[in-house]
Amino acid sequence: MTIGVKRSGGGAGRGKDAARTRRHLRVRKRLAGTSERPRLVVTRSTRHIVAQVVDDTVGHTLASASTLEADLRTLTGDKTAKAKRVGELVAERAKAAGIQAVVFDRGGNQYHGRVAAVADGAREGGLTL
């Protein structure tokens, strides 16, 4: 038994979640969505992925898509294919809202795999990143 050792619960300190939080804060220092070029935010869990187009000047979500939606839950394929479909869907909804270009916010996640698939899907959907 160790005495006097304080374990961090995921806030600041050690661990994957703490490292992702530090990366996210570092990215968000330089990144902000405007009404002309809103922010495309990607939130990733082990099972699902959510993409939102956010205008930070007023704090509103302009368009969103997620694997939690009923039509995407029934989609067959791996998680990367579903993430690409989420990117295409959020691009389609953003274009319907009159948005042509966005700033990509990877949310502290590494730019590969499902996060990159969302970006590729959004580009194929017609958004400029």
Side-chain angles (χ1 to χ4, degrees):
M1 183 171 142
T2 57
I3 298 173
V5 176
K6 185 176 179 182
R7 304 255 181 223
S8 63
R14 302 180 299 262
K16 282 185 180 182
D17 193 43
R20 190 198 66 80
T21 302
R22 283 194 308 271
R23 282 192 305 268
H24 193 197
L25 291 173
R26 196 166 54 233
V27 168
R28 287 286 289 127
K29 270 194 298 192
R30 296 173 290 153
L31 205 80
T34 62
S35 54
E36 298 84 32
R37 195 170 174 137
R39 184 169 52 103
L40 175 60
V41 188
V42 175
T43 307
R44 176 187 161 271
S45 74
T46 54
R47 194 167 175 189
H48 294 288
I49 196 150
V50 179
Q52 295 177 317
V53 178
V54 177
D55 182 0
D56 288 323
T57 57
V58 291
H60 288 335
T61 300
L62 307 172
S64 69
S66 168
T67 55
L68 292 164
E69 296 173 13
D71 56 338
L72 290 179
R73 275 185 182 255
T74 60
L75 193 68
T76 57
D78 60 348
K79 292 187 278 189
T80 307
K82 290 180 181 181
K84 188 169 186 174
R85 180 66 187 128
V86 166
E88 292 168 355
L89 196 57
V90 78
E92 177 183 314
R93 293 175 182 172
K95 296 205 40 110
I99 298 161
Q100 302 296 323
V102 294
V103 176
F104 189 71
D105 179 7
R106 58 190 170 91
N109 298 303
Q110 293 180 343
Y111 186 84
H112 74 100
R114 290 188 282 152
V115 176
V118 170
D120 293 339
R123 282 189 196 99
E124 287 179 14
L127 281 181
T128 304
L129 301 185

